[in-house]
Amino acid sequence: MTIAPLTTGSSDGLDEKVLAVYDTILRRNPGELEFHQASHEVLETLGPVVAKHPEYVEAKLLERICEPERQIIFRVPWADDSGEVHVNRGFRVEFNSALGPYKGGLRFHPSVNLGIVKFLGFEQVFKNAVTGMPIGGGKGGADFDPRGRSDREIMRFCQSFMTELHRHLGEHTDVPAGDIGVGQRELGYLFGQYKRITNRYESGVLTGKGLTWGGARVRREATGYGCAYFVQEMLAARGSSLEGSDVVVSGAGNVAIYAVEKIAQLGGRVVAVSDSSGYVHDAAGIDLDLLKEVKEIERERIEVYAQRRGRGATFVADGSVWDVPCRVALPCATQNELTERDALRLIEGGVVAVGEGANMPCTPEAVRAFRAAGVLFAPGKAANAGGVATSALEMQQNASRDSWTFEHSEQRLQEIVQEMHAACCATAEEYGAPGDYVVGANITGFVRVADAMLAHGLI
Ligand code: NDP
Ligand code: 2IT
């Protein structure tokens, strides 16, 4: 998989009133290219909003919303199995608490830096608002590489990370969850250390927990399921469906696996998945049990899937999964993984809908190409929001010491996705861009946060 080089900094496409806000972001956050990209993408759509709401401009809401409420950076020392000491850097950016406690995942990946955590936190603020749930936005993580580390090393790292982070968390304050490199195993170690330090069984302090210790059914599946549901809604609104569609999914982690599962349940066929080593093409349709065995249980490389699947499935080392033609494309790996070149290839191959399972996986040029070609495009702030929405359902269950059935939880998720789809469509229509889900999601999220901030006064 090729990750696009970052080339942000241009203020093209920005309304006069938001230009100064973007200039301040560039000046105040030098080198934070992903954050520049994410804020540009939102500001680009806010011209009609500031024109309609002079009160937002007067209260400097754009300036305030683009500046995190708090940014925490800390040292994470730990010892590996041979006794060698390592030092990583931990982050938590508490971006906005207008709608509820800071809420958003933790990412453990060697690429993590402040600019990436800020871009993710910024996206989270708007995404969480789009869900309609009472959650603010935040994000965190560390530049720790879990690959090849033993269980004990992972545990020691998580314990050291939480030893510092715990003082900033709380079920009413800041509630992390998983993201790249952080799944149920890591959340278990993080929760255990939080419980030990605070001497409180505070279930609602983390989401994505195991089902026997406060976790909620469908949280594991929710991001991938939500992405498939959102695409289904977009297609249904045009009298179409996923039935019989070939679908390509990038990544082979939590989001990707459950997107594959739900697409199959909705009548589609996923013909390719990937990881950072390359992709697998399986024209007969991905074997979900085998994919789970290789990736979830054995934590193996995706090549092993092709080896075990045998005839029909091929592994392409270092190739782009977007070379596989499909009707629906779901980028579910990481930011900027789908470039303009990939978008043009997909369009050539007949793609009709794209759903961002990952956060900001399509470059701005790729998004422009999809929109110009009339491809239905669901941005991450709506397409992957089913995950965090179900985290809010987990918080709800924890607060009431309740535990819902799988069926009820899945039904709630589906209703939330339908509501998000309807809200995006209505907002896009209201602001003169019918069918534009980027405009719909950005403005829906922005207005909800901005109105709450206005109500709270100058804080
Ligand atoms: P996982 O760690 O479970 O899986 C990540 C997958 O993406 C792996 O297959 C990984 O391959 C691939 N990947 C990650 N980084 C890179 C990279 N730099 N280059 C190439 N491939 C890469 O993470 P998730 O599935 O949880 O997250 C995937 C995306 O979805 C992220 O953008 C995340 O922010 C977003 N997201 C996650 C949610 C959740 O609930 N988990 C909710 C909403 C969004 P490899 O193993 O080879 O590194
Ligand atoms: O990007 C995301 O929305 C997540 N990683 C999930 C956040 C959450 O708190 O469930």
Side-chain angles (χ1 to χ4, degrees):
M1 177 184 301
T2 337
I3 305 295
L6 289 163
T7 53
T8 49
S10 150
S11 44
D12 288 359
L14 295 187
D15 180 276
E16 214 182 299
K17 287 205 180 68
V18 301
L19 205 57
V21 181
Y22 188 61
D23 283 347
T24 305
I25 291 174
L26 295 184
R27 184 175 47 74
R28 204 176 252 166
N29 308 282
E32 296 180 2
L33 300 180
E34 290 86 355
F35 180 47
H36 300 168
Q37 183 183 336
S39 53
H40 188 282
E41 192 264 355
V42 169
L43 291 172
E44 199 175 32
T45 57
L46 294 184
V49 183
V50 293
K52 196 169 167 182
H53 293 279
E55 71 277 19
Y56 293 164
V57 180
E58 198 189 324
K60 293 256 161 64
L61 270 172
L62 265 63
E63 288 85 337
R64 284 157 62 194
I65 241 170
C66 292
E67 180 67 16
E69 290 177 14
R70 192 173 298 108
Q71 307 182 49
I72 303 148
I73 304 182
F74 51 98
R75 180 170 68 203
V76 190
W78 58 283
D80 68 21
D81 287 345
S82 69
E84 192 188 333
V85 171
H86 300 262
V87 178
N88 283 98
R89 179 170 284 185
F91 302 89
R92 186 73 181 165
V93 173
E94 298 182 332
F95 223 111
N96 195 297
S97 61
L99 297 179
Y102 307 108
K103 182 83 198 88
L106 297 171
R107 177 177 291 191
F108 291 169
H109 192 271
S111 63
V112 166
N113 58 37
L114 184 59
I116 289 182
V117 179
K118 265 157 87 172
F119 120 65
L120 290 164
F122 186 76
E123 294 269 301
Q124 201 83 48
V125 171
F126 301 96
K127 180 202 305 189
N128 293 5
V130 169
T131 67
M133 312 297 283
I135 42 178
K139 200 84 185 191
D143 59 357
F144 168 70
D145 189 355
R147 183 162 320 152
R149 290 293 171 196
S150 70
D151 256 19
R152 285 164 170 275
E153 289 174 324
I154 299 283
M155 180 178 78
R156 281 197 295 276
F157 180 81
C158 289
Q159 290 176 339
S160 180
F161 185 85
M162 186 52 94
T163 300
E164 181 56 35
L165 188 64
H166 84 277
R167 69 191 82 247
H168 303 289
L169 306 184
E171 62 178 325
H172 301 297
T173 308
D174 187 348
V175 182
D179 194 83
I180 291 176
V182 177
Q184 210 177 94
R185 173 182 61 169
E186 291 73 21
L187 288 165
Y189 297 142
L190 291 164
F191 184 73
Q193 185 72 350
Y194 182 85
K195 182 167 73 66
R196 186 176 192 196
I197 294 174
T198 59
N199 192 30
R200 285 150 59 111
Y201 204 108
E202 192 184 331
S203 301
V205 74
L206 292 177
T207 60
K209 299 181 294 295
L211 292 182
T212 54
W213 42 280
R217 292 188 180 84
V218 184
R219 175 60 190 92
R220 181 182 53 175
E221 294 83 358
T223 311
Y225 277 21
C227 183
Y229 283 143
F230 200 92
V231 169
Q232 185 191 36
E233 287 297 314
M234 292 199 301
L235 290 169
R238 274 107 192 139
S240 182
S241 79
L242 281 159
E243 198 65 50
S245 301
D246 276 1
V247 179
V248 168
V249 174
S250 67
N254 173 264
V255 179
I257 288 173
Y258 292 94
V260 172
E261 182 164 295
K262 186 49 74 182
I263 288 288
Q265 290 171 9
L266 295 174
R269 181 176 48 189
V270 177
V271 293
V273 292
S274 67
D275 66 14
S276 61
S277 67
Y279 72 88
V280 162
H281 185 196
D282 188 348
I286 293 290
D287 177 335
L288 188 64
D289 290 339
L290 180 58
L291 182 65
K292 286 182 178 174
E293 180 183 302
V294 170
K295 296 305 282 190
E296 279 190 334
I297 300 169
E298 298 174 13
R299 298 176 189 272
E300 270 292 356
R301 309 310 294 152
I302 198 67
E303 185 174 8
V304 173
Y305 172 97
Q307 287 162 358
R308 292 210 193 133
R309 180 83 157 135
R311 118 190 110 81
T314 47
F315 171 68
V316 182
D318 298 324
S320 169
V321 73
W322 309 119
D323 289 346
V324 179
C326 57
R327 184 166 180 262
V328 172
L330 305 180
C332 296
T334 194
Q335 64 274 6
N336 291 321
E337 53 150 311
L338 195 162
T339 63
E340 183 178 27
R341 168 219 171 260
D342 300 326
L344 295 174
R345 271 192 89 89
L346 285 167
I347 292 164
E348 213 178 84
V351 76
V352 305
V354 176
E356 291 192 316
N359 286 305
M360 206 169 76
C362 300
T363 64
E365 296 76 20
V367 179
R368 267 196 287 281
F370 287 135
R371 290 158 95 187
V375 173
L376 292 170
F377 178 76
K381 289 183 207 83
N384 69 46
V388 75
T390 307
S391 278
L393 300 180
E394 183 169 332
M395 292 164 74
Q396 202 174 322
Q397 289 165 77
N398 291 151
S400 57
R401 300 189 186 280
D402 199 357
S403 170
W404 302 348
T405 63
F406 193 93
E407 292 69 28
H408 177 64
S409 311
E410 197 183 10
Q411 191 194 332
R412 284 292 297 124
L413 168 62
Q414 200 170 0
E415 286 162 4
I416 292 167
V417 172
Q418 285 163 352
E419 285 158 17
M420 291 195 292
H421 180 267
C424 289
C425 290
T427 305
E429 188 95 30
E430 180 185 344
Y431 283 90
D436 189 328
Y437 291 91
V438 174
V439 167
N442 286 350
I443 299 184
T444 299
F446 176 81
V447 168
R448 287 178 182 171
V449 177
D451 285 346
M453 288 176 75
L454 266 187
H456 295 163
L458 185 52
I459 54 168

